[in-house]
Amino acid sequence: MKHKMQIKLRSTLLAAALALPLAGTAQASEGAALKHVDWSFSGPFGTFDRAQLKRGFQVYKEVCAACHSIKYVSYRNLSEAGGPQFSEAEVKAIAAAGTVTDGPNADGEMFERPAEPKDRIVKPFPNDNAARAANNGALPPDLSLMTKARKNGPDYLYSLLTGYGDAPEGVVLADGMNYNHTFPGQQIAMPAPLSDDQVTYEDGTAASLDQMAQDVTAFLMWTAEPKLEDRHKLGFKVIIFLSILAGLLFATYKRIWKDQH
Amino acid sequence: MSGHTEFQPTSAPAKWLERRLPILSLMHGAAIAFPTPKNLNYWWTFGGILMFCLGVQIITGVILVMHYTPHVDMAFASVEHIMRDVNYGWLIRYIHANGASMFFLAVYIHMFRGLYYGSYKEPRELIWILGMVSYLLMTAAAFFGYVLVWGQMSFWGATVITNLFGAIPLVGDYLLALLWGGFSVDNPTLNRLFSLHYLVPFLIAGVVVLHIWALHVPGNNNPLGIDVKGPQDTVTFHPYYTMKDTFAVVMFMLFFALFVFYAPNMLGEPDNYIEANRLSTPAHIVPEWYLLPFYAILRSIPDKLLGVIAMGVAIFVLFLVPWLDTSKVRSARFRPLYKQFFWIFLIDALILGYIGAKPAEGMYLLAGRIATAYYFAHFFIIMPILGLVETPKPLPESISKPVLGHAASGKAA
Amino acid sequence: MTTGHAEEPTRRDFLYIATGAVAAIGAGALAWPFIHQLNPDASVKALASIEIDLSAITEGAAITVTWRGKPVFIRHRTAAEIAAAGEVKIEELRDPQADSDRVQKPQWLIMVGVCTHLGCVPLGQKGDFGGWFCPCHGSHYDTSGRIRLGPAPNNLAIPEYVFLDDNRVKIG
């Protein structure tokens, strides 16, 4: 057993050693070290905080949705288990606030209708060119997967949202750019999106910049990994089961080999 | 030594089948009665683990294809559809993606086992070569599969690797257009790589059959590297090794499960969660970890064509190992010098892997070049010379009598 | 192999049986996701029901909507059509069914527009019975969508539906 453990340990170290280089794929000029938050969803037993996800959705809707889409999320996901878990009635109302182009109708024309839970969350711009045109040529990226599309995604997002400040001595900002400690190159086209009390939270939580940054980041972790809680729950059962099975198989193996050693 | 069996079917249906297609006696000879050295250690379980990995990849892959759309406008979205809407889609996708990494981890351990214990030596050269063929097919399958996600790394990795073929003199450009099906990596490329990605694992399965068939002629090597002398040195494959292999596979599954459930994206690249954009190149184009050593070798040569050739030779040299190693002794246990160079080579391979993920500049480039030079030195210089100059330790009498001389009188078989 | 005491085989067998049982349970649990992934996924199930606004459909008019990939006829029947449907002798029908069993509100006829013969889409307000006519093999349906003539064995199917209010119906 010990030898097998040594092999597994060596394999783990091997895998970790090989994973480290990937963990270290650095950008040209990294900003300040990332701020770290103790997210509720991190770790093997991590779960989402429903209230936080609801607040995060509110921040997205009231602040970010003007420019950023979350096109892989459907309205119905907002009421499914493992997410903010709005009620079905709430989701219908949220959806109905959006407009979807449908058709062609019997006359052959496209028409607009209120969104329904089954629709994807409505995008602020019909296509990338329209998005660029409205944003001085910069394209606000889709945020569905943002926390997985950046190294240390959640900490990176949080650090970016709270990382705005005045450019230090000697740094000249290019036209239309803003200084951000975290963004690679320290110059970002997006102006600081959050400020204290910008949003009035429905659950009464104080909407400080820091709070909103955490909440919207947690929400975006959910949009990127809606199955996170399912994954953790099933993982626990699988690990326990495999451990039991491994134990039984080891005993079987030892029993069979008893006469050989 | 091959699967001779006195298997006689007892039931009527079994007798009917056996007379027409002797598959039962074949399976009995190969997997039940097969005499296997009794001293195999856990490094020998990785063959079974590899078969498990191939099965997992094929099954999860076939299922993923039920939900995937191989078109540039829909591929990325279809993968997200699998992750979000398909029942247990997230599980099947994460098993498949991490399964590829597990597959390569197992194959590297399996190959290093071969290098350490001299499993490639006469009469097992062809087993080694068939294994190398299936390793090559694995790298092809993995490369094709990674492109199918159609993320930034998929697209740009495909662009970089296919552009290598443009380095071939005279026919390079024509070959590129042939591979791409167009003027750049685009929809025709995606579609053909999809088809090939589905095909290659079944080619691997075929080569594996030959690999095991070739193995069953001389039978397994063992940690001592000495031949089996008789039945006292072996046990039947079942139940001794069937159960040991099953235990090993379950331990492997535990390790695998840790990645799938708790770190499913740790071995991957964040950039591949961004849809492919042909107008924006990622800052660092990196292949998956298991291709990094060869990527490092490719980038350490400043000339494009020579870099491609160096990478090719780095892989091809592995085919020549049975002839490059001149030692008459198989197992590194009895080769004190080779053993040390084996570990140095392993460290060199890890260094190459580390370098492969770094930008090809400065200290990284220098280290990569040294490591590349050492890689070739190990095969072309060290391996041939060692066999001629090394004094091996005395080999034991037999597997049943592994302790030589003074203790032999005390310890019975 | 040693013969062992009488006790030993029982302990050994128990271990083997326990291991085999746990492995079998594991295999079953492992198989379930691979089977369940074939079941309709969440995006398909989201389309499992549709809500239709009936206010625009005047008396004597009909619309066709797509539900679960199939056409559904929604017809605002006239009094004459309702009366004709009620007058038919049930026993004479190939697929006996009263009109009242086929509608929740008599003026709204909602049925799956797929001919029960071989699946073509029947044409509305055609045929010998004032209802639908299937051009593929000549099945005639009446004003209640019941088969009256031709090769189709059954009446046009009625989907599951519920009226959310007087002007909205949810199908499925």
Side-chain angles (χ1 to χ4, degrees):
Chain A
M1 184 60 177
K2 196 158 145 248
H3 193 211
K4 184 64 188 170
M5 295 295 278
Q6 283 174 357
I7 288 163
K8 277 296 157 230
L9 186 63
R10 241 184 265 193
S11 309
T12 318
L13 290 174
L14 195 77
L18 289 161
L20 279 173
L22 291 155
T25 331
Q27 298 280 15
S29 50
E30 283 227 317
L34 294 181
K35 298 174 204 163
H36 176 68
V37 173
D38 201 9
W39 303 102
S40 70
F41 49 79
S42 52
F45 303 105
T47 54
F48 289 115
D49 178 336
R50 310 265 157 257
Q52 181 173 47
L53 291 186
K54 287 190 168 123
R55 292 197 300 270
F57 174 67
Q58 187 178 351
V59 173
Y60 166 75
K61 200 160 60 103
E62 295 182 19
V63 180
C64 321
C67 303
H68 290 280
S69 55
I70 40 173
K71 64 184 181 182
Y72 292 115
V73 187
S74 304
Y75 289 104
R76 60 181 165 84
N77 297 136
L78 294 167
S79 60
E80 286 164 5
Q85 285 176 211
F86 288 104
S87 71
E88 300 218 357
E90 280 173 313
V91 168
K92 258 197 195 171
I94 292 168
T99 323
V100 162
T101 307
D102 204 350
N105 59 18
D107 294 323
E109 285 163 2
M110 305 303 280
F111 60 92
E112 294 200 330
R113 60 161 176 83
E116 293 164 27
K118 70 173 176 8
D119 293 316
R120 294 285 175 88
I121 296 190
V122 168
K123 301 194 286 188
F125 303 106
N127 53 61
D128 282 359
N129 289 354
R132 282 191 193 277
N135 287 286
N136 286 326
L139 177 66
D142 182 272
L143 295 177
S144 313
L145 292 164
M146 194 50 74
T147 54
K148 290 202 291 191
R150 299 289 183 272
K151 197 167 74 100
N152 297 320
D155 283 347
Y156 170 81
L157 270 198
Y158 169 78
S159 302
L160 191 146
L161 290 170
T162 57
Y164 282 89
D166 293 320
E169 275 289 325
V171 173
V172 179
L173 289 175
D175 234 5
M177 300 300 258
N178 305 276
Y179 186 81
N180 185 290
H181 291 285
T182 308
F183 193 74
Q186 280 67 60
Q187 298 200 27
I188 187 172
M190 173 172 77
L194 299 174
S195 54
D196 285 331
D197 293 317
Q198 194 173 358
V199 156
T200 311
Y201 278 135
E202 306 206 356
D203 68 357
T205 312
S208 64
L209 200 164
D210 190 84
Q211 182 69 46
M212 288 190 287
Q214 288 194 34
D215 293 343
V216 78
T217 300
F219 172 71
L220 290 178
M221 186 70 231
W222 171 77
T223 61
E225 275 278 288
K227 303 295 181 181
L228 183 144
E229 293 189 355
D230 277 351
R231 176 162 57 81
H232 286 171
K233 279 195 281 209
L234 184 58
F236 183 69
K237 292 185 204 156
V238 167
I239 300 289
I240 298 291
F241 174 82
L242 285 176
S243 303
I244 294 172
L245 182 60
L248 284 171
L249 281 169
F250 184 69
T252 304
Y253 152 72
K254 277 291 181 209
R255 179 70 59 86
I256 286 169
W257 277 82
K258 211 159 65 148
D259 54 0
Q260 285 297 328
H261 290 143
Chain B
M1 205 47 194
S2 62
H4 253 281
T5 173
E6 308 85 26
F7 177 73
Q8 287 302 328
T10 45
S11 72
K15 283 194 184 129
W16 186 96
L17 180 62
E18 185 65 15
R19 190 163 153 243
R20 290 156 178 75
L21 180 73
I23 196 167
L24 292 175
S25 63
L26 176 77
M27 282 174 11
H28 186 266
I32 310 233
F34 191 73
T36 315
K38 60 183 184 181
N39 61 335
L40 301 185
N41 59 32
Y42 278 102
W43 299 113
W44 262 261
T45 58
F46 281 86
I49 287 172
L50 283 168
M51 280 172 46
F52 167 75
C53 286
L54 182 62
V56 164
Q57 291 305 93
I58 288 178
I59 292 173
T60 55
V62 167
I63 289 173
L64 287 173
V65 171
M66 293 182 183
H67 304 278
Y68 171 78
T69 305
H71 187 281
V72 294
D73 295 335
M74 294 169 60
F76 190 86
S78 72
V79 173
E80 280 306 305
H81 162 69
I82 288 168
M83 293 295 288
R84 293 161 192 275
D85 293 327
V86 173
N87 302 314
Y88 290 108
W90 57 270
L91 178 64
I92 295 168
R93 193 273 175 111
Y94 276 150
I95 289 177
H96 196 78
N98 286 285
S101 282
M102 294 297 116
F103 204 170
F104 275 93
L105 178 64
V107 92
Y108 284 133
I109 293 174
H110 188 71
M111 286 160 76
F112 273 94
R113 181 280 307 262
L115 288 174
Y116 188 85
Y117 291 108
S119 307
Y120 51 81
K121 287 180 164 304
E122 193 267 337
R124 297 185 177 86
E125 304 95 322
L126 194 54
I127 303 171
W128 175 264
I129 294 205
L130 286 167
M132 280 306 304
V133 169
S134 64
Y135 170 71
L136 264 188
L137 290 172
M138 269 175 70
T139 53
F143 169 64
F144 300 155
Y146 195 66
V147 176
L148 302 182
V149 178
W150 211 245
Q152 273 288 69
M153 222 37 101
S154 307
F155 177 85
W156 290 101
T159 301
V160 164
I161 298 302
T162 48
N163 266 313
L164 294 177
F165 289 89
I168 299 171
L170 292 178
V171 295
D173 287 331
Y174 177 78
L175 199 52
L176 262 186
L178 183 77
L179 288 175
W180 284 337
F183 306 110
S184 63
V185 171
D186 208 333
N187 202 45
T189 325
L190 177 62
N191 269 272
R192 63 192 54 181
L193 293 188
F194 176 62
S195 171
L196 294 177
H197 183 69
Y198 204 120
L199 169 70
V200 168
F202 295 101
L203 299 179
I204 293 174
V207 173
V208 165
V209 167
L210 297 178
H211 183 72
I212 296 176
W213 187 3
L215 169 69
H216 280 201
V217 172
N220 298 73
N221 188 19
N222 67 84
L224 297 177
I226 56 182
D227 288 339
V228 162
K229 303 285 191 295
Q232 71 280 9
D233 289 342
T234 65
V235 288
T236 52
F237 192 75
H238 177 71
Y240 294 93
Y241 287 109
T242 45
M243 293 324 291
K244 187 174 185 182
D245 277 359
T246 306
F247 167 65
V249 164
V250 170
M251 289 301 288
F252 185 80
M253 284 168 79
L254 252 174
F255 181 68
F256 188 178
L258 288 177
F259 282 97
V260 168
F261 291 102
Y262 297 116
N265 295 299
M266 179 168 123
L267 299 170
E269 258 298 315
D271 270 356
N272 229 29
Y273 274 107
I274 304 171
E275 287 179 68
N277 179 355
R278 58 180 64 249
L279 298 176
S280 164
T281 313
H284 302 287
I285 299 175
V286 203
E288 289 279 86
W289 69 266
Y290 39 81
L291 302 177
L292 288 175
F294 298 109
Y295 194 59
I297 292 175
L298 171 76
R299 293 190 310 174
S300 52
I301 315 286
D303 180 84
K304 185 173 170 186
L305 179 61
L306 289 178
V308 174
I309 292 174
M311 187 176 75
V313 174
I315 299 170
F316 180 65
V317 74
L318 289 164
F319 281 80
L320 303 177
V321 162
W323 295 277
L324 288 170
D325 183 359
T326 51
S327 168
K328 298 281 176 282
V329 172
R330 287 197 187 110
S331 171
R333 270 206 204 165
F334 303 102
R335 303 182 58 189
L337 275 185
Y338 177 76
K339 187 193 285 199
Q340 301 187 48
F341 282 102
F342 169 88
W343 292 113
I344 297 174
F345 174 71
L346 174 60
I347 292 169
D348 181 66
L350 291 173
I351 290 173
L352 280 171
Y354 176 80
I355 297 292
K358 293 292 174 211
E361 344 170 300
M363 283 306 297
Y364 295 128
L365 188 58
L366 179 64
R369 287 180 170 157
I370 296 172
T372 299
Y374 186 81
Y375 179 96
F376 289 113
H378 176 86
F379 289 106
F380 287 118
I381 302 174
I382 295 170
M383 247 189 179
I385 291 181
L386 265 187
L388 301 171
V389 306
E390 182 178 45
T391 312
K393 291 197 200 152
L395 294 174
E397 209 179 298
S398 77
I399 291 171
S400 311
K401 297 197 188 108
V403 184
L404 198 57
H406 48 276
S409 50
K411 292 255 166 28
Chain C
M1 291 272 240
T2 54
T3 47
H5 310 125
E7 197 192 354
E8 233 196 291
T10 320
R11 273 222 305 275
R12 178 177 64 218
D13 288 343
F14 176 73
L15 174 62
Y16 298 161
I17 291 170
T19 307
V22 171
I25 291 169
L30 178 64
W32 172 242
F34 296 132
I35 294 169
H36 191 37
Q37 58 86 19
L38 292 168
N39 275 327
D41 65 53
S43 62
V44 166
K45 290 201 285 201
L47 302 174
S49 43
I50 54 172
E51 288 179 17
I52 310 294
D53 183 1
L54 304 170
S55 51
I57 312 173
T58 56
E59 195 175 300
I63 63 167
T64 304
V65 298
T66 310
W67 171 72
R68 296 190 183 175
K70 293 173 281 216
V72 169
F73 301 148
I74 302 178
R75 181 164 181 76
H76 191 164
R77 297 197 294 184
T78 63
E81 288 165 6
I82 299 170
E87 275 157 15
V88 172
K89 289 214 182 65
I90 311 285
E91 321 78 65
E92 287 173 1
L93 293 171
R94 179 177 305 162
D95 181 9
Q97 205 178 12
D99 182 57
S100 51
D101 289 334
R102 293 175 57 77
V103 292
Q104 292 177 20
K105 299 189 184 192
Q107 74 273 31
W108 291 111
L109 179 61
I110 300 174
M111 6 179 244
V112 180
V114 174
C115 184
T116 57
H117 180 226
L118 290 175
C120 297
V121 181
L123 304 169
Q125 281 50 66
K126 299 227 167 10
D128 300 343
F129 297 86
W132 285 261
F133 171 71
C134 184
C136 291
H137 309 99
S139 295
H140 298 253
Y141 297 88
D142 65 15
T143 53
S144 183
R146 295 172 296 200
I147 182 66
R148 302 298 294 274
L149 184 64
N154 295 114
N155 304 333
L156 291 176
I158 307 292
E160 198 186 305
Y161 64 88
V162 62
F163 280 93
L164 301 173
D165 58 47
D166 280 342
N167 279 324
R168 294 188 67 78
V169 67
K170 178 168 127 164
I171 305 178

